[in-house]
Amino acid sequence: MMLKDSKIYVAGHRGMVGSAIVRELVRQGYDNIVTRTHAQLDLTDQAAVNDFFASEKPEYVFLAAAKVGGIVANAGALADFMYDNMMLEMNVIHAAWRNGCRKLEFLGSSCIYPRLAPQPMPESCLLTSALEPTNEAYALAKISGLKYCEYLNSQYGTDYISVMPTNLYGPNDNYHPTHSHVLPALIRKFHEAKEAGAAEVVCWGDGSPLREFLYVDDLAELCVFLMNNYSGNETVNAGTGKEISIRDLARMVADAVGYDGKIVWDTTKPNGTPRKLLDVGKAMALGWKYRTELCDGIRKAYEDFLTNPMRAER
């Protein structure tokens, strides 16, 4: 279990997940948190990562750094998504092992599960059938990180765990028009439509896919909880156990933003995976449950969008 003065490295501390983990650690009284910006430490540079770990010797590592994006970003840069994510995660995990890190927590994604996995998706369905093609590269990278942790545990007796969150949203999200995920993209789209007085907003697909969304601060609470209370090779799903259609989500976001125009669906664009709901029974059995309902979380996320102009512009 982490002590309040344990040296804790949060990789990706400026991103949505990493910043939420830092907030939660600070809230709980941990006061020896190590961070580095990308400019200070390029995690795809193996020598630089090795030097950092040899110098700092963190006892605990939260690996939340990743190259992320929505359908457009993933499908248009499969090679980049695979290379960057494989390199950074392997470098960090390997350097942690070489430098005697007590425990590491690897943050993955629910996209590691098969496209047509049983619903809700249990941790055990990993690698049982084909992945969703539009984010296959990212999924393969995340599966590799998960498996490397598992193999280090088996071969060298490390205590490395992994967490697989569902779709996340909240403070410090990325609201880029083409490189963001669906919920922040909808926030930006409806906000700009409201500002412009647009009569309609065009959304991708037919609105039928079902998705699950978890407020990032709820995930952060689980991440710290698991670092202190869980060990094991099998990953732990992180979600709400509830799903909503993209069509209903769009209307919920429009309402939160205050846009009352028409929503039009462009069925020439891809839907992505038809359904993605996590089985969160394992996390709940360990004693965790999400706190933030979607309607409340979207309102908080919109406030973040409005008060963080740099996030809105990028």
Side-chain angles (χ1 to χ4, degrees):
M1 179 173 286
M2 295 185 294
L3 301 177
K4 297 303 181 183
D5 62 350
S6 295
K7 181 175 275 191
I8 304 167
Y9 171 47
V10 180
H13 76 286
R14 298 179 76 180
M16 178 172 60
V17 174
S19 62
I21 291 173
V22 170
R23 285 195 301 275
E24 182 63 21
L25 288 169
V26 170
R27 187 187 72 82
Q28 292 193 28
Y30 294 98
D31 57 11
N32 192 7
I33 303 169
V34 179
T35 60
R36 291 291 188 276
T37 65
H38 178 73
Q40 294 171 322
L41 177 61
D42 179 357
L43 296 180
T44 66
D45 183 335
Q46 187 178 57
V49 174
N50 287 339
D51 288 345
F52 166 76
F53 271 85
S55 173
E56 290 292 338
K57 298 285 186 182
E59 298 171 83
Y60 298 89
V61 174
F62 290 89
L63 179 42
K67 181 183 180 72
V68 299
I71 291 177
V72 176
N74 271 276
L78 294 174
D80 294 345
F81 271 83
M82 172 167 273
Y83 179 84
D84 287 349
N85 283 296
M86 288 282 284
M87 290 298 291
L88 72 85
E89 67 194 30
M90 290 298 170
N91 287 342
V92 171
I93 297 168
H94 187 71
W97 166 66
R98 286 185 59 187
N99 288 278
C101 173
R102 288 177 179 270
K103 192 166 186 175
L104 178 144
E105 184 175 297
F106 174 65
L107 274 292
S109 165
S110 60
C111 74
I112 66 166
Y113 296 123
R115 171 181 168 81
L116 299 177
Q119 300 291 326
M121 299 181 286
E123 290 87 352
S124 59
C125 75
L126 181 65
L127 295 175
T128 55
S129 60
L131 298 166
E132 161 61 33
T134 56
N135 60 17
E136 183 180 78
Y138 182 70
L140 287 170
K142 287 300 185 182
I143 291 170
S144 297
L146 181 160
K147 285 295 182 181
Y148 189 44
C149 289
E150 178 184 325
Y151 298 152
L152 285 171
N153 290 345
S154 299
Q155 188 172 348
Y156 294 107
T158 52
D159 186 11
Y160 292 178
I161 62 175
S162 61
V163 186
M164 296 297 135
T166 188
N167 299 287
L168 300 168
Y169 69 102
N172 288 331
D173 208 339
N174 175 12
Y175 300 98
H176 191 280
T178 60
H179 290 78
S180 60
H181 291 101
V182 60
L183 203 158
L186 287 172
I187 287 175
R188 178 170 183 153
K189 186 184 289 279
F190 285 115
H191 172 78
E192 292 180 345
K194 182 182 77 169
E195 293 292 292
E200 65 179 37
V201 167
V202 178
C203 296
W204 277 36
D206 62 13
S208 66
L210 297 171
R211 291 291 182 271
E212 175 186 21
F213 296 92
L214 178 66
Y215 192 63
V216 71
D217 285 12
D218 291 353
L219 170 68
E221 185 178 22
L222 173 63
C223 288
V224 176
F225 173 82
L226 291 175
M227 185 69 94
N228 284 327
N229 295 282
Y230 177 73
S231 294
N233 280 334
E234 189 176 69
T235 189
V236 178
N237 286 340
T240 63
K242 298 179 179 180
E243 57 191 344
I244 184 173
S245 72
I246 297 299
R247 183 177 295 272
D248 289 342
L249 175 71
R251 177 44 59 193
M252 188 179 287
V253 172
D255 290 344
V257 169
Y259 175 77
D260 56 8
K262 184 179 181 182
I263 301 175
V264 178
W265 295 92
D266 182 356
T267 56
T268 66
K269 296 296 193 295
N271 276 328
T273 306
R275 190 182 181 201
K276 283 177 65 177
L277 178 66
L278 290 179
D279 182 339
V280 294
K282 184 174 181 178
M284 292 179 66
L286 290 168
W288 173 85
K289 187 180 187 299
Y290 80 97
R291 298 176 184 271
T292 309
E293 295 297 344
L294 184 57
C295 57
D296 297 327
I298 289 174
R299 284 195 291 271
K300 292 180 181 179
Y302 184 47
E303 291 172 6
D304 174 68
F305 175 86
L306 292 175
T307 56
N308 286 273
M310 288 184 66
R311 292 285 173 183
E313 289 299 321
R314 73 179 185 175

